[in-house]
Amino acid sequence: MQAPDRPPMGNAPARAAAKETLWRLTALTLSHPAPEFHAAIASGDFHAAFETAWRQVTGRGWPQVAPCEDFAAYEAGFITAFLHGRKGKPVAPLLAGDHDAILAGLTRPVFMLNLTSFYKHFGLRAATADEGRQDEPDHLASMTEFMAVLCYLEARALTQGRDPDPTRRAQRDFLCRYLQPSLAAIAGLLRRDPVADLDPTVMQLVQDMAAWAESQIAELEARVGPFRDPDAPKPALAAAAQAAPATQNLWG
């Protein structure tokens, strides 16, 4: 009788590396469709790679659904869901700043400034995409790629015997404030207004990563403490005492 699969322990570098893989594959999925990526979905190669990492992290298999075989149809479904959609509006925008609930009362410039402070702290900046355009910092592909970087840094710290908690705090804060609410919003919009021609693998991934991101928050808070939203309103009399210095290093 075969023993059930067991994911690596929480402090194992292999588990942090598997988390990195999940976030990188999610970033590829939410980037603009490319024929090569669609071919990996259609052939089953994408599912094999994602399930391997998913099983390492969760101990469970990842369901395989029938893919969209035609790239043109795959691209059309992606565009309808995430870019232009019906009457020129996407069903589920991939830019966090397009969701009022995620802005949480901030103006978009302030929201973007706060978001990019995460990237700058770790020495990252938006990549230059095709046609000389910059990637939007609040695009889900950019944010999931950033989470992959944080998981890579966690794995490296564990491998080198250093404290992984600074990168775990960064993961917690970024998930709580930006990434998990964005994934949850997009997953919810797709459930409420399904796009019939959206590739089933993409739909499955968005739903599962939104749920997993929430469980990751619980795991990280158990390890490094609860999240305290720096954007949350503070009582006027206590604001000065509670405000963190602008130069404070929150993540090591």
Side-chain angles (χ1 to χ4, degrees), residues 16 19 23 118 122 146-155 164-177 179 212 216-217 219-220 224 251:
K19 292 194 302 179
W23 289 119
F118 275 87
F122 290 92
F146 178 62
M147 276 299 299
V149 171
L150 294 179
C151 292
Y152 164 77
L153 294 174
E154 178 189 0
D165 283 355
T167 57
R168 287 173 173 167
R169 285 192 292 270
Q171 290 175 54
R172 175 203 62 193
D173 292 353
F174 195 74
L175 276 168
C176 285
R177 179 61 186 94
L179 187 47
W212 181 65
Q216 278 296 286
I217 289 173
E219 177 184 319
L220 290 163
V224 296
W251 309 301

Side-chain angles (χ1 to χ4, degrees), residues 17-198:
K19 292 194 302 179
E20 176 193 352
T21 297
L22 290 180
W23 289 119
R24 288 201 191 280
L25 291 176
T26 300
L28 284 172
T29 304
L30 298 177
S31 300
H32 191 84
E36 297 80 7
F37 181 73
H38 168 258
I41 288 182
S43 68
D45 290 345
F46 176 85
H47 178 270
F50 191 91
E51 189 195 32
T52 297
W54 182 262
R55 191 179 293 276
Q56 283 186 291
V57 171
T58 68
R60 306 188 305 272
W62 194 55
Q64 187 164 14
V65 293
C68 179
E69 297 290 346
D70 180 70
F71 173 69
Y74 175 88
E75 185 177 36
F78 187 98
I79 290 172
T80 298
F82 302 125
L83 298 178
H84 302 305
R86 306 171 187 116
K87 298 182 180 179
K89 292 185 178 180
V91 173
L94 291 177
L95 297 179
D98 286 347
H99 301 266
D100 289 341
I102 298 171
L103 289 177
L106 296 178
T107 64
R108 190 154 187 171
V110 171
F111 173 83
M112 295 293 283
L113 182 65
N114 293 347
L115 172 60
T116 54
S117 71
F118 275 87
Y119 301 153
K120 290 180 179 178
H121 180 87
F122 290 92
L124 303 175
R125 59 183 176 83
T128 300
D130 292 340
E131 301 175 3
R133 294 173 300 174
Q134 279 198 323
D135 295 338
E136 298 92 337
D138 63 333
H139 193 287
L140 261 291
S142 298
M143 294 199 291
T144 50
E145 186 67 29
F146 178 62
M147 276 299 299
V149 171
L150 294 179
C151 292
Y152 164 77
L153 294 174
E154 178 189 0
R156 189 175 68 176
L158 289 167
T159 299
Q160 297 175 352
R162 294 184 288 105
D163 183 9
D165 283 355
T167 57
R168 287 173 173 167
R169 285 192 292 270
Q171 290 175 54
R172 175 203 62 193
D173 292 353
F174 195 74
L175 276 168
C176 285
R177 179 61 186 94
Y178 301 107
L179 187 47
Q180 190 277 333
S182 300
L183 283 167
I186 290 167
L189 288 168
L190 290 175
R191 286 194 303 271
R192 288 193 292 272
D193 190 7
V195 177
D197 52 352
L198 179 63

